[in-house]
């Protein structure tokens, strides 16, 4: 059975942008799309039953409207929907066990110009069993916009799952993959080594990490960069005109700062494009 791309749909208009992005991703992956709306009522008395029925009707209509909109735009896409009477975080964590990718939306900009991501979204990014894509953008924004795929990587402990995801995304999109390895200790601050500058040993390490993936994906153009900056700031800067930013987080996210690690934390709060957070061992 093919794993679906699963989108969490809530009552906010911005989540519609995420469902359209998820539909585009499902088509790229040749995967079905699954729309999930989760909500949890407290204890219900006899007097509250009409209110429960009204909320259930509203939730059902939300899913039906989203499905109809996506079927009209993508008539060949396989779409399923489910209304889950459970709290959203637990429901979506359970969905991540059987999903290819979990897609969540953003409410827009925070007061400091970053990604407005609630605690539920942050915990899902930290603990989901599959990669989580966090999609920002106003309702009606164009999903799957053209641009490079950017991946933040390390060389001491390279994460195969992160590189596999990034190369696959670049291949499916016919996009250039920009790989960023950042370290404050690198020479030539504010300059990349893609043009021959920088530390030769660091360049050799990065090339060695990328070599097997380049061999596996010979059709993907790779722009590998060494940046003398903090990793979080470097990947956010690199993603300013990108279609997607791919970062990793350790599978045991609870043991890391912010649950997802400082690089992923900076990315999901400040990158202007969709961000895929990929778990690795």
């Amino acid at each position: 059975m093919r794993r679906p791309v699963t989108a969490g749909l809530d009552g906010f208009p911005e989540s519609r942008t995420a469902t359209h992005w998820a539909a585009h991703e499902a088509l790229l992956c040749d995967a079905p799309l699954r729309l999930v709306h989760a909500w949890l009522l407290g204890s219900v008395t006899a007097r509250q039953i009409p209110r429960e029925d009204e909320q259930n009707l509203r939730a059902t209509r939300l899913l039906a409207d989203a499905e109809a909109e996506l079927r009209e735009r993508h008539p060949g896409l396989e779409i399923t929907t489910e209304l889950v009477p459970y709290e959203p975080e637990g429901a979506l964590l359970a969905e991540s066990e059987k999903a290819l990718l979990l897609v969540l939306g953003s409410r827009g900009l925070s007061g400091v110009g970053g990604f407005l991501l609630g605690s539920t979204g942050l915990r899902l990014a930290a603990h989901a069993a599959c990669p989580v894509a966090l999609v920002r953008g106003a309702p009606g924004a164009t999903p799957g916009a053209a641009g490079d795929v950017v991946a933040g990587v390390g060389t001491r402990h390279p994460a195969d799952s992160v590189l596999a995801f990034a190369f696959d995304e670049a291949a499916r999109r016919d996009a250039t993959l920009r790989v960023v390895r950042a370290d404050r200790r690198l020479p030539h601050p504010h300059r990349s080594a893609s043009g021959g500058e920088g530390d030769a040993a660091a360049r050799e390490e990065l090339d060695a990490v990328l070599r097997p993936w380049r061999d596996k994906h010979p059709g993907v153009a790779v722009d590998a960069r060494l940046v003398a900056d903090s990793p979080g700031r470097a990947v956010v800067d690199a993603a300013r005109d990108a279609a997607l930013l791919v970062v990793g987080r350790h599978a045991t996210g609870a043991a890391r700062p912010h649950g997802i690690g400082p690089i992923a934390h900076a990315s999901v709060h400040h990158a202007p494009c969709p961000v895929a957070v990929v778990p690795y061992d």
Side-chain angles (χ1 to χ4, degrees), residues 167-202:
F167 270 88
D168 284 345
E169 284 291 330
R172 284 192 287 261
R173 296 164 181 266
D174 194 23
T176 295
L177 175 60
R178 276 187 270 150
V179 179
V180 178
R181 186 228 162 173
D183 191 326
R184 290 183 185 275
R185 296 168 295 181
L186 289 169
H188 303 294
H190 311 299
R191 298 162 70 185
S192 80
S194 57
E197 301 169 343
D199 183 80

mmCIF file of all heavy atoms in Angstrom, residues 167-202:
data_model
loop_
_atom_site.group_PDB
_atom_site.id
_atom_site.type_symbol
_atom_site.label_atom_id
_atom_site.label_comp_id
_atom_site.label_asym_id
_atom_site.label_seq_id
_atom_site.Cartn_x
_atom_site.Cartn_y
_atom_site.Cartn_z
ATOM 1 N N PHE A 167 17.815 15.194 -2.231
ATOM 2 C CA PHE A 167 18.111 14.824 -3.616
ATOM 3 C C PHE A 167 16.843 14.368 -4.336
ATOM 4 O O PHE A 167 16.646 14.694 -5.514
ATOM 5 C CB PHE A 167 19.179 13.737 -3.661
ATOM 6 C CG PHE A 167 20.590 14.261 -3.740
ATOM 7 C CD1 PHE A 167 21.297 14.553 -2.585
ATOM 8 C CD2 PHE A 167 21.214 14.469 -4.962
ATOM 9 C CE1 PHE A 167 22.599 15.041 -2.641
ATOM 10 C CE2 PHE A 167 22.510 14.958 -5.042
ATOM 11 C CZ PHE A 167 23.212 15.248 -3.878
ATOM 12 N N ASP A 168 15.999 13.600 -3.658
ATOM 13 C CA ASP A 168 14.746 13.158 -4.278
ATOM 14 C C ASP A 168 13.870 14.353 -4.638
ATOM 15 O O ASP A 168 13.265 14.390 -5.722
ATOM 16 C CB ASP A 168 13.988 12.219 -3.342
ATOM 17 C CG ASP A 168 14.584 10.830 -3.284
ATOM 18 O OD1 ASP A 168 15.406 10.498 -4.164
ATOM 19 O OD2 ASP A 168 14.239 10.070 -2.352
ATOM 20 N N GLU A 169 13.769 15.329 -3.732
ATOM 21 C CA GLU A 169 12.951 16.515 -4.009
ATOM 22 C C GLU A 169 13.503 17.291 -5.199
ATOM 23 O O GLU A 169 12.754 17.746 -6.073
ATOM 24 C CB GLU A 169 12.895 17.413 -2.770
ATOM 25 C CG GLU A 169 11.976 16.916 -1.674
ATOM 26 C CD GLU A 169 10.509 17.007 -2.061
ATOM 27 O OE1 GLU A 169 10.141 17.899 -2.852
ATOM 28 O OE2 GLU A 169 9.718 16.173 -1.576
ATOM 29 N N ALA A 170 14.812 17.481 -5.238
ATOM 30 C CA ALA A 170 15.415 18.208 -6.358
ATOM 31 C C ALA A 170 15.185 17.465 -7.679
ATOM 32 O O ALA A 170 14.880 18.078 -8.711
ATOM 33 C CB ALA A 170 16.904 18.411 -6.109
ATOM 34 N N ALA A 171 15.320 16.129 -7.644
ATOM 35 C CA ALA A 171 15.117 15.338 -8.858
ATOM 36 C C ALA A 171 13.676 15.439 -9.337
ATOM 37 O O ALA A 171 13.420 15.619 -10.536
ATOM 38 C CB ALA A 171 15.496 13.881 -8.587
ATOM 39 N N ARG A 172 12.722 15.333 -8.417
ATOM 40 C CA ARG A 172 11.315 15.393 -8.809
ATOM 41 C C ARG A 172 10.940 16.768 -9.355
ATOM 42 O O ARG A 172 10.091 16.885 -10.237
ATOM 43 C CB ARG A 172 10.421 15.050 -7.609
ATOM 44 C CG ARG A 172 10.375 13.578 -7.282
ATOM 45 C CD ARG A 172 9.271 13.272 -6.304
ATOM 46 N NE ARG A 172 9.571 13.722 -4.961
ATOM 47 C CZ ARG A 172 10.028 12.928 -3.984
ATOM 48 N NH1 ARG A 172 10.269 11.655 -4.232
ATOM 49 N NH2 ARG A 172 10.256 13.402 -2.792
ATOM 50 N N ARG A 173 11.541 17.813 -8.822
ATOM 51 C CA ARG A 173 11.222 19.179 -9.233
ATOM 52 C C ARG A 173 12.075 19.656 -10.406
ATOM 53 O O ARG A 173 11.884 20.781 -10.874
ATOM 54 C CB ARG A 173 11.425 20.121 -8.047
ATOM 55 C CG ARG A 173 10.483 19.864 -6.882
ATOM 56 C CD ARG A 173 10.979 20.541 -5.609
ATOM 57 N NE ARG A 173 10.104 20.271 -4.488
ATOM 58 C CZ ARG A 173 9.108 21.069 -4.102
ATOM 59 N NH1 ARG A 173 8.914 22.204 -4.757
ATOM 60 N NH2 ARG A 173 8.348 20.759 -3.076
ATOM 61 N N ASP A 174 13.063 18.824 -10.824
ATOM 62 C CA ASP A 174 14.020 19.239 -11.857
ATOM 63 C C ASP A 174 14.675 20.551 -11.439
ATOM 64 O O ASP A 174 14.803 21.494 -12.225
ATOM 65 C CB ASP A 174 13.328 19.395 -13.209
ATOM 66 C CG ASP A 174 14.336 19.488 -14.360
ATOM 67 O OD1 ASP A 174 15.482 19.017 -14.193
ATOM 68 O OD2 ASP A 174 13.974 20.051 -15.416
ATOM 69 N N ALA A 175 15.096 20.597 -10.174
ATOM 70 C CA ALA A 175 15.651 21.811 -9.580
ATOM 71 C C ALA A 175 17.106 21.599 -9.179
ATOM 72 O O ALA A 175 17.558 20.468 -8.969
ATOM 73 C CB ALA A 175 14.841 22.208 -8.349
ATOM 74 N N THR A 176 17.827 22.683 -9.061
ATOM 75 C CA THR A 176 19.183 22.631 -8.510
ATOM 76 C C THR A 176 19.105 22.405 -7.007
ATOM 77 O O THR A 176 18.234 22.960 -6.324
ATOM 78 C CB THR A 176 19.925 23.950 -8.787
ATOM 79 O OG1 THR A 176 20.098 24.100 -10.189
ATOM 80 C CG2 THR A 176 21.293 23.980 -8.111
ATOM 81 N N LEU A 177 19.998 21.572 -6.497
ATOM 82 C CA LEU A 177 20.097 21.355 -5.063
ATOM 83 C C LEU A 177 21.274 22.165 -4.524
ATOM 84 O O LEU A 177 22.414 21.953 -4.921
ATOM 85 C CB LEU A 177 20.302 19.872 -4.750
ATOM 86 C CG LEU A 177 20.543 19.528 -3.273
ATOM 87 C CD1 LEU A 177 19.367 19.961 -2.401
ATOM 88 C CD2 LEU A 177 20.821 18.041 -3.095
ATOM 89 N N ARG A 178 20.958 23.115 -3.655
ATOM 90 C CA ARG A 178 22.000 23.900 -2.992
ATOM 91 C C ARG A 178 22.257 23.298 -1.628
ATOM 92 O O ARG A 178 21.382 23.297 -0.765
ATOM 93 C CB ARG A 178 21.585 25.365 -2.852
ATOM 94 C CG ARG A 178 21.850 26.200 -4.073
ATOM 95 C CD ARG A 178 21.577 27.659 -3.789
ATOM 96 N NE ARG A 178 20.206 28.019 -4.065
ATOM 97 C CZ ARG A 178 19.548 28.967 -3.417
ATOM 98 N NH1 ARG A 178 20.108 29.622 -2.435
ATOM 99 N NH2 ARG A 178 18.308 29.244 -3.756
ATOM 100 N N VAL A 179 23.452 22.770 -1.426
ATOM 101 C CA VAL A 179 23.825 22.153 -0.157
ATOM 102 C C VAL A 179 24.694 23.133 0.623
ATOM 103 O O VAL A 179 25.706 23.620 0.114
ATOM 104 C CB VAL A 179 24.586 20.830 -0.385
ATOM 105 C CG1 VAL A 179 24.994 20.222 0.948
ATOM 106 C CG2 VAL A 179 23.723 19.858 -1.185
ATOM 107 N N VAL A 180 24.283 23.417 1.857
ATOM 108 C CA VAL A 180 24.985 24.400 2.681
ATOM 109 C C VAL A 180 25.586 23.708 3.890
ATOM 110 O O VAL A 180 24.874 23.041 4.657
ATOM 111 C CB VAL A 180 24.027 25.519 3.137
ATOM 112 C CG1 VAL A 180 24.756 26.506 4.046
ATOM 113 C CG2 VAL A 180 23.427 26.227 1.942
ATOM 114 N N ARG A 181 26.889 23.856 4.029
ATOM 115 C CA ARG A 181 27.555 23.433 5.256
ATOM 116 C C ARG A 181 28.160 24.681 5.892
ATOM 117 O O ARG A 181 28.977 25.374 5.281
ATOM 118 C CB ARG A 181 28.651 22.417 4.984
ATOM 119 C CG ARG A 181 29.237 21.867 6.302
ATOM 120 C CD ARG A 181 30.720 21.878 6.320
ATOM 121 N NE ARG A 181 31.223 21.759 7.684
ATOM 122 C CZ ARG A 181 32.490 21.610 7.983
ATOM 123 N NH1 ARG A 181 33.387 21.549 7.035
ATOM 124 N NH2 ARG A 181 32.877 21.547 9.231
ATOM 125 N N ALA A 182 27.720 25.017 7.097
ATOM 126 C CA ALA A 182 28.146 26.256 7.741
ATOM 127 C C ALA A 182 28.903 25.972 9.033
ATOM 128 O O ALA A 182 28.613 25.020 9.752
ATOM 129 C CB ALA A 182 26.923 27.128 8.052
ATOM 130 N N ASP A 183 29.892 26.826 9.283
ATOM 131 C CA ASP A 183 30.695 26.715 10.496
ATOM 132 C C ASP A 183 31.382 28.066 10.710
ATOM 133 O O ASP A 183 32.031 28.587 9.790
ATOM 134 C CB ASP A 183 31.742 25.609 10.346
ATOM 135 C CG ASP A 183 32.433 25.255 11.667
ATOM 136 O OD1 ASP A 183 32.620 26.172 12.498
ATOM 137 O OD2 ASP A 183 32.782 24.078 11.846
ATOM 138 N N ARG A 184 31.227 28.636 11.885
ATOM 139 C CA ARG A 184 31.857 29.926 12.174
ATOM 140 C C ARG A 184 33.379 29.860 12.042
ATOM 141 O O ARG A 184 34.030 30.884 11.825
ATOM 142 C CB ARG A 184 31.510 30.379 13.589
ATOM 143 C CG ARG A 184 30.067 30.784 13.788
ATOM 144 C CD ARG A 184 29.869 31.281 15.204
ATOM 145 N NE ARG A 184 28.488 31.582 15.492
ATOM 146 C CZ ARG A 184 27.896 32.739 15.220
ATOM 147 N NH1 ARG A 184 28.597 33.686 14.616
ATOM 148 N NH2 ARG A 184 26.636 32.946 15.517
ATOM 149 N N ARG A 185 33.959 28.657 12.195
ATOM 150 C CA ARG A 185 35.417 28.525 12.199
ATOM 151 C C ARG A 185 36.009 28.496 10.791
ATOM 152 O O ARG A 185 37.223 28.542 10.627
ATOM 153 C CB ARG A 185 35.819 27.254 12.944
ATOM 154 C CG ARG A 185 35.440 27.286 14.426
ATOM 155 C CD ARG A 185 35.576 25.922 15.051
ATOM 156 N NE ARG A 185 34.618 24.979 14.468
ATOM 157 C CZ ARG A 185 34.508 23.711 14.851
ATOM 158 N NH1 ARG A 185 35.290 23.228 15.798
ATOM 159 N NH2 ARG A 185 33.616 22.925 14.280
ATOM 160 N N LEU A 186 35.147 28.434 9.775
ATOM 161 C CA LEU A 186 35.659 28.448 8.405
ATOM 162 C C LEU A 186 36.266 29.818 8.083
ATOM 163 O O LEU A 186 35.805 30.841 8.602
ATOM 164 C CB LEU A 186 34.538 28.148 7.409
ATOM 165 C CG LEU A 186 34.016 26.709 7.408
ATOM 166 C CD1 LEU A 186 32.750 26.620 6.578
ATOM 167 C CD2 LEU A 186 35.065 25.758 6.863
ATOM 168 N N PRO A 187 37.268 29.852 7.228
ATOM 169 C CA PRO A 187 37.853 31.145 6.847
ATOM 170 C C PRO A 187 36.947 31.933 5.915
ATOM 171 O O PRO A 187 35.924 31.432 5.448
ATOM 172 C CB PRO A 187 39.151 30.753 6.149
ATOM 173 C CG PRO A 187 38.875 29.391 5.604
ATOM 174 C CD PRO A 187 37.965 28.721 6.616
ATOM 175 N N HIS A 188 37.333 33.181 5.650
ATOM 176 C CA HIS A 188 36.629 34.064 4.726
ATOM 177 C C HIS A 188 35.182 34.278 5.127
ATOM 178 O O HIS A 188 34.262 33.813 4.452
ATOM 179 C CB HIS A 188 36.670 33.516 3.285
ATOM 180 C CG HIS A 188 38.047 33.290 2.775
ATOM 181 N ND1 HIS A 188 38.936 34.321 2.552
ATOM 182 C CD2 HIS A 188 38.710 32.144 2.448
ATOM 183 C CE1 HIS A 188 40.069 33.823 2.102
ATOM 184 N NE2 HIS A 188 39.966 32.516 2.031
ATOM 185 N N PRO A 189 34.927 34.935 6.234
ATOM 186 C CA PRO A 189 33.546 35.217 6.643
ATOM 187 C C PRO A 189 32.767 35.907 5.530
ATOM 188 O O PRO A 189 33.289 36.723 4.776
ATOM 189 C CB PRO A 189 33.724 36.160 7.839
ATOM 190 C CG PRO A 189 35.107 35.891 8.334
ATOM 191 C CD PRO A 189 35.922 35.538 7.126
ATOM 192 N N HIS A 190 31.469 35.523 5.455
ATOM 193 C CA HIS A 190 30.525 36.094 4.497
ATOM 194 C C HIS A 190 30.839 35.737 3.047
ATOM 195 O O HIS A 190 30.333 36.348 2.121
ATOM 196 C CB HIS A 190 30.439 37.622 4.630
ATOM 197 C CG HIS A 190 30.259 38.073 6.029
ATOM 198 N ND1 HIS A 190 29.170 37.709 6.790
ATOM 199 C CD2 HIS A 190 31.039 38.849 6.828
ATOM 200 C CE1 HIS A 190 29.266 38.247 7.986
ATOM 201 N NE2 HIS A 190 30.394 38.935 8.037
ATOM 202 N N ARG A 191 31.708 34.760 2.833
ATOM 203 C CA ARG A 191 31.999 34.307 1.478
ATOM 204 C C ARG A 191 31.886 32.795 1.430
ATOM 205 O O ARG A 191 32.275 32.099 2.356
ATOM 206 C CB ARG A 191 33.404 34.741 1.059
ATOM 207 C CG ARG A 191 33.591 36.240 1.037
ATOM 208 C CD ARG A 191 35.058 36.628 1.059
ATOM 209 N NE ARG A 191 35.697 36.297 -0.202
ATOM 210 C CZ ARG A 191 37.016 36.446 -0.388
ATOM 211 N NH1 ARG A 191 37.793 36.882 0.570
ATOM 212 N NH2 ARG A 191 37.539 36.125 -1.553
ATOM 213 N N SER A 192 31.337 32.284 0.351
ATOM 214 C CA SER A 192 31.190 30.833 0.219
ATOM 215 C C SER A 192 32.393 30.263 -0.500
ATOM 216 O O SER A 192 33.158 30.977 -1.128
ATOM 217 C CB SER A 192 29.907 30.491 -0.564
ATOM 218 O OG SER A 192 30.139 30.651 -1.934
ATOM 219 N N ALA A 193 32.546 28.946 -0.396
ATOM 220 C CA ALA A 193 33.667 28.269 -1.053
ATOM 221 C C ALA A 193 33.267 27.670 -2.388
ATOM 222 O O ALA A 193 34.024 26.936 -2.983
ATOM 223 C CB ALA A 193 34.220 27.190 -0.143
ATOM 224 N N SER A 194 32.059 27.974 -2.888
ATOM 225 C CA SER A 194 31.622 27.364 -4.148
ATOM 226 C C SER A 194 32.468 27.813 -5.327
ATOM 227 O O SER A 194 32.533 27.145 -6.341
ATOM 228 C CB SER A 194 30.140 27.696 -4.412
ATOM 229 O OG SER A 194 29.950 29.097 -4.440
ATOM 230 N N GLY A 195 33.161 28.952 -5.174
ATOM 231 C CA GLY A 195 33.990 29.431 -6.262
ATOM 232 C C GLY A 195 35.456 29.146 -6.043
ATOM 233 O O GLY A 195 36.309 29.742 -6.688
ATOM 234 N N GLY A 196 35.791 28.266 -5.148
ATOM 235 C CA GLY A 196 37.176 27.897 -4.929
ATOM 236 C C GLY A 196 37.787 28.496 -3.673
ATOM 237 O O GLY A 196 38.925 28.176 -3.327
ATOM 238 N N GLU A 197 37.076 29.384 -2.976
ATOM 239 C CA GLU A 197 37.579 29.968 -1.754
ATOM 240 C C GLU A 197 37.269 29.039 -0.590
ATOM 241 O O GLU A 197 36.467 28.139 -0.682
ATOM 242 C CB GLU A 197 36.925 31.341 -1.531
ATOM 243 C CG GLU A 197 37.178 32.310 -2.662
ATOM 244 C CD GLU A 197 36.306 33.560 -2.548
ATOM 245 O OE1 GLU A 197 35.329 33.502 -1.793
ATOM 246 O OE2 GLU A 197 36.603 34.545 -3.205
ATOM 247 N N GLY A 198 37.881 29.311 0.543
ATOM 248 C CA GLY A 198 37.550 28.564 1.737
ATOM 249 C C GLY A 198 38.567 27.503 2.061
ATOM 250 O O GLY A 198 39.598 27.355 1.409
ATOM 251 N N ASP A 199 38.240 26.751 3.080
ATOM 252 C CA ASP A 199 39.163 25.752 3.598
ATOM 253 C C ASP A 199 39.124 24.496 2.731
ATOM 254 O O ASP A 199 38.075 23.884 2.531
ATOM 255 C CB ASP A 199 38.781 25.430 5.042
ATOM 256 C CG ASP A 199 39.747 24.456 5.667
ATOM 257 O OD1 ASP A 199 40.821 24.880 6.101
ATOM 258 O OD2 ASP A 199 39.408 23.276 5.689
ATOM 259 N N ALA A 200 40.289 24.055 2.240
ATOM 260 C CA ALA A 200 40.358 22.916 1.323
ATOM 261 C C ALA A 200 39.921 21.622 1.987
ATOM 262 O O ALA A 200 39.254 20.783 1.374
ATOM 263 C CB ALA A 200 41.777 22.775 0.774
ATOM 264 N N ALA A 201 40.294 21.448 3.251
ATOM 265 C CA ALA A 201 39.919 20.221 3.960
ATOM 266 C C ALA A 201 38.407 20.136 4.140
ATOM 267 O O ALA A 201 37.798 19.070 3.960
ATOM 268 C CB ALA A 201 40.620 20.165 5.308
ATOM 269 N N ALA A 202 37.779 21.266 4.474
ATOM 270 C CA ALA A 202 36.323 21.282 4.653
ATOM 271 C C ALA A 202 35.625 21.003 3.330
ATOM 272 O O ALA A 202 34.633 20.278 3.271
ATOM 273 C CB ALA A 202 35.879 22.626 5.222
#
